[in-house]
Amino acid sequence: MSIFGESMLKKLKIGDLVSWNRFVMLEDSYMMDVPPDKKRSFGVVVDFSIIEEGNRDVAYAIVLPTGKSAKPTKIFVMSLKIESRNTI
């Protein structure tokens, strides 16, 4: 069985600078866009994980976001855009 997000997973490497669109998940599952000046987040890929969800393997990147109090965050790889290769 193939991994959902496998094509993007093959393109990413640890140390890549990536960006992704930010959104807010509300309690009733609606997504609300954040203000336009804060739409994109940036970070560096530090690891990868494959998690089984609904009988299918799904690829995630562990990303260290930019910012003072940033902590590693799990992000679906298909949500990422590579900004530059091997930053670290």
Side-chain angles (χ1 to χ4, degrees), residues 18-23 38-44 63-66 73 75-76 79-81 83:
V18 293
S19 67
W20 61 97
N21 285 327
R22 291 179 51 191
F23 62 90
K38 301 202 184 237
K39 248 186 169 173
R40 299 231 25 107
S41 293
F42 294 86
V44 176
V63 178
L64 182 61
T66 57
T73 305
I75 301 173
F76 176 50
S79 301
L80 298 174
K81 176 184 174 196
E83 296 294 338

Side-chain angles (χ1 to χ4, degrees), residues 2-49:
S2 65
I3 298 169
F4 187 51
E6 185 173 18
S7 60
M8 186 61 177
L9 182 62
K10 289 179 179 180
K11 294 176 186 177
L12 288 166
K13 293 182 177 37
I14 290 176
D16 284 349
L17 176 64
V18 293
S19 67
W20 61 97
N21 285 327
R22 291 179 51 191
F23 62 90
V24 176
M25 188 68 79
L26 302 175
E27 280 186 37
D28 56 3
S29 298
Y30 287 106
M31 289 186 286
M32 178 176 67
D33 229 3
V34 296
D37 59 329
K38 301 202 184 237
K39 248 186 169 173
R40 299 231 25 107
S41 293
F42 294 86
V44 176
V45 177
V46 294
D47 204 357
F48 299 99
S49 66

